[in-house]
Amino acid sequence: MKRDIEYYLRREAFPHIWCAGCGNGIVLGAILRAIDDLQWDKNEIAMISGIGCSSRITGYVDFCTMNTTHGRALPFATGIKMANPEMKVIVVMGDGDCSAIGGNHFIHAARRNIDLTAIIVNNMIYGMTGGQYSPLTPSGRFGTTAPYGNIDQSFDLVKLATAAGASYVARGTVYHIRPLISLIKKAFNKKGFSVVEIISDCPISYGKMNRMQSAPEMLKWIRDSAVSSKVWENLSEEEKKDKYVIGEFLDVEKPEYTELYAMVVERAQKLEVGK
Amino acid sequence: MEKEGSKEIYQNNSVKITVDKEWCKACGICLEFCPQKVLAADEGGKPYPVNLSACTRCGLCELRCPDFAITVEGVEGKKDV
Amino acid sequence: MSKLKGDIELLQGNEACVRGALLAGVRFFAGYPITPSSEIAEGMARLLPRLGGKFLQMEDEIASMAAVIGASIAGLKSITATSGPGFTLKQENLGFAILNEIPCVIVDAQRGGPSTGLPTAPAQGDMMQARWGTHGDHSIIALAPSTVNEVLFLTIRAVNLSEKYRTPVILLLDEVIAHMREKVRLPLPEEVEIINRKKPTVSPEEYLPFKPEQDGVPPMANFGEGYRYHFTGLIHNQKGLPTTDPQEIDSLIRRINDKIQANIKDITFLENYSLDEARIALVAYGSVARAAEGAVKLAREKGLKVGLLKLLTVWPFPSEEVNRLAQQVDLIVVPEMNLGQMVLAVERAVGGKCKVVSYSRVDGELITPLEILEKVEEEIIKK
């Protein structure tokens, strides 16, 4: 049975704090529609976030929620999942949160292949602090701390998560909304560490520094810079700059961490551990 | 148009569009990307349907609304998005 | 380490900590290897799965603290262990646990510092880090055992206090206590008092996760038990949602401090040695308390009226008891393996009622009974 989205919201916390047109609300909607499609019980869901605009997501949903410290959402979530493997644990992070201060936690959660879903809202900027460049700001773009253009290379989270050992890796956008809901749903259903990077818009902090004045303008840019794998493969390196390949990149079956630990418990209880 | 708290409800025989004027922040996404150009902006930049009969209930405005401020339903009551 | 109960065993301090934690009902450990606390992680890795508990070696100290908090929220009694450098990293999420009132225990086997310092030498340089290491006004409970037997019992108490007051508790070992071996009688499980966090008695709809009861402590529902609510590092209202209301902010900050201070009698553990009729008192804790006890014996042999107040609870500081002591004695000597950290709290508690002097050692060597006695005699001559 389909439910109104409001069933999943803490109504008293609305309207939310995000700026007009911010992609965080679109991402939240996509997550809730995926949950609704799966008919998950609200009591079984733990949603954990770090610090940043997108991390405020957890305050708005009627689940077991935690708005933790900057970059640390994944280890908090790891503790919850280990203590109670029955819980469905969703982690929402921003690009700076996940890939800068939380970068080490991200690769290690993937390495363990623990059954969590990491959703990264990539608006390519530190929005809450006013528009500083992040590890996912493309080279050449502008931020308040890159006033002459960003000279850093940006991470490719899809490649990073794949190399680090995740089970499911996808990238979507807030413009391509129906495919996004499907990607999130698949990630939720995956046993193991699943990652969905979502290209999102920050019209205030990123848009204004990069010649996009409004949310619709940013969404058009996202629409026009997203390409499928097939198109991507035929692009030159020069053409790939400022483009994003979207879709599913990894979907494999392998041993999951809490299941492996259950085997450790079994082994420990069977063996006589000597002095 | 009917009002229910902060919500404005627009309805014809096949579709019901509800806009929560308190939650809406007038970002313009629903206006810009409506495939049928059903919506227009009021003086505050918030949406209202100018062409309700053109609505195909695709639901993209609802799905892309960052503020949970617009919903599209079939008039039979069941959601069709 | 194969048996869990009812035996007399020769145990290392770190091993006793593991045993105490398991007896107290701890079923989750997350940590990161660091000298001189690693044996706690090793013991947990071996014993926890046998009891159906969970052990996690995390990618760093910060993550370990985060995982411990997560596991506690999901309902398992949780502990982590580290040393000075790791304790510094844990301060970030320790603050989160204090603000969100998450029961958990952090063991800090102190070594010389600052920085990497002296990994294999004892020190007591983290006393103030334990009190004020994380930012913002907050309360903390910290216990400091001076024997392996005390490690066992104070670990149990640390777990119990964390559950009772919904707060992190720090167990301050030092390299000597962590690594020395002593005879310990392990209690039978039925001999161990176990305190569990208070559970809500109202329905999920009525539950306010940060609404205190009479004792200042709110009942705590674990995630997954049908109570859906929010934790945040932001200052929050009784629902757990962020607030900017000055009254709500004030009442939360005061309450998380007051709930500890108001129950200081229940939290304070002290031991007196030869304090009756003493004119000079030593105030000591941790491995230095052992030397101080030796110094008292030597002094008494010489006819000097010296006694010892051993602090097992160091935070909240037992000001009332120390103030009372100051009214009895002329001099308090505080020997510490730091440049004088707890002596500051002693001075504050004494409030000028008697002379207070510090005796410091920061060279990685233990303080001996003879040194303390010499310091006492030196002070007597000065008078």
Side-chain angles (χ1 to χ4, degrees):
Chain A
M1 184 193 70
K2 253 185 141 30
R3 293 180 192 271
D4 282 338
I5 284 302
E6 288 189 19
Y7 170 76
Y8 299 100
L9 299 178
R10 292 185 175 129
R11 270 199 63 98
E12 72 271 26
F14 280 79
H16 55 56
I17 61 154
W18 298 312
C19 305
C22 172
N24 288 331
I26 308 176
V27 170
L28 173 56
I31 292 170
L32 296 179
R33 286 169 181 113
I35 287 171
D36 190 56
D37 281 352
L38 295 170
Q39 293 288 297
W40 280 359
D41 179 347
K42 289 200 282 190
N43 287 321
E44 289 178 357
I45 304 171
M47 198 188 274
I48 317 300
S49 62
I51 293 291
C53 295
S54 59
S55 291
R56 295 298 285 265
I57 271 187
T58 47
Y60 297 119
V61 291
D62 186 22
F63 307 131
C64 296
T65 54
M66 260 181 116
N67 176 196
T68 68
T69 46
H70 199 19
R72 321 300 179 205
L74 282 166
F76 277 93
T78 299
I80 291 172
K81 185 71 187 181
M82 279 295 277
N84 185 353
E86 300 304 309
M87 289 209 91
K88 301 177 190 315
V89 185
I90 302 163
V91 180
V92 182
M93 296 171 281
D95 44 310
D97 194 42
C98 169
S99 71
I101 190 164
N104 198 35
H105 308 309
F106 181 68
I107 56 173
H108 285 276
R111 178 179 61 83
R112 285 184 200 102
N113 192 36
I114 187 161
D115 185 25
L116 309 171
T117 298
I119 294 188
I120 300 103
V121 187
N122 177 11
N123 60 10
M124 297 160 230
I125 204 84
Y126 286 91
M128 188 160 268
T129 46
Q132 299 78 18
Y133 72 94
S134 89
L136 299 188
T137 305
S139 299
R141 288 281 175 166
F142 295 89
T144 55
T145 47
Y148 307 109
N150 178 27
I151 57 168
D152 290 23
Q153 296 184 67
S154 57
F155 270 135
D156 181 333
L157 278 193
V158 164
K159 286 183 181 162
L160 190 63
T162 304
S167 285
Y168 180 85
V169 181
R171 184 187 284 128
T173 85
V174 290
Y175 177 84
H176 304 88
I177 190 68
R178 284 214 171 82
L180 177 64
I181 296 167
S182 311
L183 294 174
I184 294 173
K185 227 160 65 177
K186 275 196 84 171
F188 284 166
N189 268 335
K190 190 75 196 177
K191 189 91 191 163
F193 191 66
S194 54
V195 177
V196 183
E197 179 192 350
I198 303 168
I199 308 295
S200 183
D201 66 304
C202 174
I204 301 300
S205 288
Y206 189 76
K208 293 213 167 119
M209 292 285 295
N210 291 284
R211 288 191 225 100
M212 289 175 278
Q213 295 301 322
S214 70
E217 240 183 285
M218 284 217 74
L219 256 64
K220 280 184 202 165
W221 170 68
I222 288 170
R223 176 190 67 197
D224 298 340
S225 52
V227 297
S228 67
S229 301
K230 269 200 182 134
V231 175
W232 179 259
E233 279 163 20
N234 296 316
L235 294 179
S236 69
E237 285 310 308
E238 198 50 40
E239 287 169 320
K240 281 179 181 172
K241 279 187 182 159
D242 267 7
K243 289 258 186 277
Y244 290 91
V245 53
I246 61 171
E248 236 171 48
F249 303 96
L250 181 73
D251 185 0
V252 294
E253 301 296 326
K254 54 180 165 179
E256 189 274 327
Y257 199 75
T258 60
E259 291 179 346
L260 288 172
Y261 198 83
M263 286 159 66
V264 168
V265 170
E266 212 174 294
R267 218 177 299 152
Q269 290 177 346
K270 245 185 249 166
L271 284 175
E272 176 63 28
V273 181
K275 278 203 174 187
Chain B
M1 190 259 287
E2 287 169 55
K3 280 204 165 192
E4 214 173 84
S6 60
K7 290 178 177 174
E8 290 182 355
I9 300 160
Y10 302 85
Q11 193 168 343
N12 66 13
N13 292 332
S14 63
V15 64
K16 176 176 158 190
I17 294 180
T18 308
V19 179
D20 189 323
K21 291 282 182 159
E22 204 180 292
W23 288 17
C24 173
K25 292 179 183 146
C27 69
I29 290 175
C30 57
L31 303 171
E32 181 70 37
F33 297 105
C34 173
Q36 304 300 326
K37 301 290 166 212
V38 170
L39 303 166
D42 67 13
E43 65 280 9
K46 297 181 180 182
Y48 72 97
V50 279
N51 192 8
L52 197 57
S53 56
C55 178
T56 60
R57 288 186 278 158
C58 74
L60 283 171
C61 58
E62 179 175 340
L63 294 178
R64 288 206 190 100
C65 175
D67 295 287
F68 304 95
I70 189 165
T71 59
V72 182
E73 293 163 87
V75 279
E76 304 311 320
K78 277 274 170 180
K79 277 208 184 175
D80 197 21
V81 292
Chain C
M1 303 256 297
S2 69
K3 287 178 190 164
L4 290 172
K5 57 176 206 268
D7 279 330
I8 289 176
E9 282 190 50
L10 185 66
L11 287 183
Q12 192 193 49
N14 283 340
E15 291 169 353
C17 179
V18 172
R19 299 295 192 92
L22 297 177
L23 281 164
V26 165
R27 290 298 176 269
F28 185 90
F29 178 98
Y32 186 83
I34 184 167
T35 305
S37 79
S38 297
E39 293 85 359
I40 298 176
E42 290 166 354
M44 288 294 188
R46 204 141 81 120
L47 295 179
L48 268 173
R50 295 177 61 197
L51 299 168
K54 314 283 169 71
F55 167 88
L56 258 181
Q57 182 169 313
M58 294 300 283
E59 56 272 22
D60 60 35
E61 299 275 5
I62 300 168
S64 313
M65 191 64 215
V68 158
I69 295 167
S72 180
I73 286 170
L76 296 187
K77 290 186 183 178
S78 303
I79 194 169
T80 184
T82 186
S83 184
F87 192 40
T88 299
L89 293 170
K90 286 186 172 6
Q91 297 297 334
E92 178 192 51
N93 288 330
L94 176 60
F96 184 91
I98 291 167
L99 180 67
N100 283 289
E101 304 178 69
I102 313 298
C104 55
V105 174
I106 301 100
V107 183
D108 172 16
Q110 297 173 87
R111 67 193 221 188
S115 191
T116 310
L118 300 161
T120 58
Q124 296 176 318
D126 301 351
M127 307 310 290
M128 283 296 170
Q129 186 178 206
R131 179 64 192 88
W132 290 117
T134 197
H135 59 277
D137 283 298
H138 62 274
S139 59
I140 198 76
I141 298 174
L143 311 178
S146 67
T147 69
V148 174
N149 199 53
E150 282 171 9
V151 173
L152 182 90
F153 287 97
L154 287 188
T155 304
I156 296 170
R157 276 188 178 166
V159 175
N160 282 342
L161 288 172
S162 79
E163 292 282 323
K164 187 170 182 181
Y165 295 110
R166 267 191 78 170
T167 185
V169 176
I170 295 161
L171 187 71
L172 288 161
L173 311 183
D174 56 58
E175 190 277 334
V176 170
I177 300 301
H179 280 158
M180 74 186 307
R181 288 182 183 276
E182 285 183 306
K183 191 174 81 173
V184 173
R185 192 190 82 81
L186 287 154
L188 294 163
E190 55 270 28
E191 294 173 319
V192 178
E193 187 201 9
I194 302 268
I195 298 175
N196 296 315
R197 61 193 71 171
K198 291 187 292 187
K199 289 293 181 64
T201 50
V202 297
S203 69
E205 291 71 35
E206 294 167 290
Y207 178 55
L208 292 170
F210 295 96
K211 186 183 176 192
E213 291 187 335
Q214 206 71 48
D215 58 357
V217 183
M220 181 171 170
N222 300 324
F223 275 11
E225 291 177 348
Y227 291 77
R228 299 185 302 274
Y229 63 100
H230 191 52
F231 285 105
T232 174
L234 289 162
I235 305 300
H236 43 264
N237 58 24
Q238 291 194 340
K239 264 201 119 162
L241 296 173
T243 181
T244 51
D245 178 284
Q247 235 177 344
E248 287 181 336
I249 298 167
D250 186 82
S251 88
L252 175 67
I253 302 300
R254 287 185 194 281
R255 181 176 62 72
I256 59 171
N257 282 277
D258 291 349
K259 72 175 178 182
I260 303 300
Q261 209 53 43
N263 293 295
I264 190 165
K265 287 237 147 49
D266 183 48
I267 296 165
T268 300
F269 312 116
L270 303 166
E271 276 181 25
N272 297 337
Y273 292 90
S274 307
L275 269 182
D276 296 340
E277 288 163 47
R279 302 305 302 165
I280 296 169
L282 307 175
V283 174
Y285 54 90
S287 61
V288 175
R290 306 167 71 94
E293 206 183 321
V296 168
K297 279 181 199 142
L298 294 176
R300 290 280 169 172
E301 280 165 22
K302 285 189 159 188
L304 300 172
K305 289 184 173 172
V306 179
L308 164 67
L309 177 66
K310 179 161 88 177
L311 310 178
L312 295 170
T313 301
V314 288
W315 304 117
F317 189 74
S319 300
E320 215 180 296
E321 290 80 355
V322 171
N323 186 281
R324 209 179 305 130
L325 183 63
Q327 296 175 41
Q328 176 196 328
V329 301
D330 307 317
L331 171 69
I332 293 178
V333 178
V334 187
E336 299 179 86
M337 287 190 286
N338 57 46
L339 287 179
Q341 296 193 11
M342 293 311 291
V343 71
L344 299 172
V346 173
E347 282 169 353
R348 196 170 170 181
V350 165
K353 288 205 173 86
C354 77
K355 191 177 176 189
V356 178
V357 297
S358 163
Y359 181 73
S360 280
R361 212 167 164 165
V362 286
D363 58 356
E365 296 292 322
L366 278 173
I367 294 176
T368 64
L370 211 57
E371 279 175 76
I372 298 173
L373 179 65
E374 280 168 9
K375 179 71 182 173
V376 167
E377 288 176 327
E378 185 190 309
E379 289 299 322
I380 292 170
I381 294 162
K382 270 192 204 165
K383 276 200 290 187

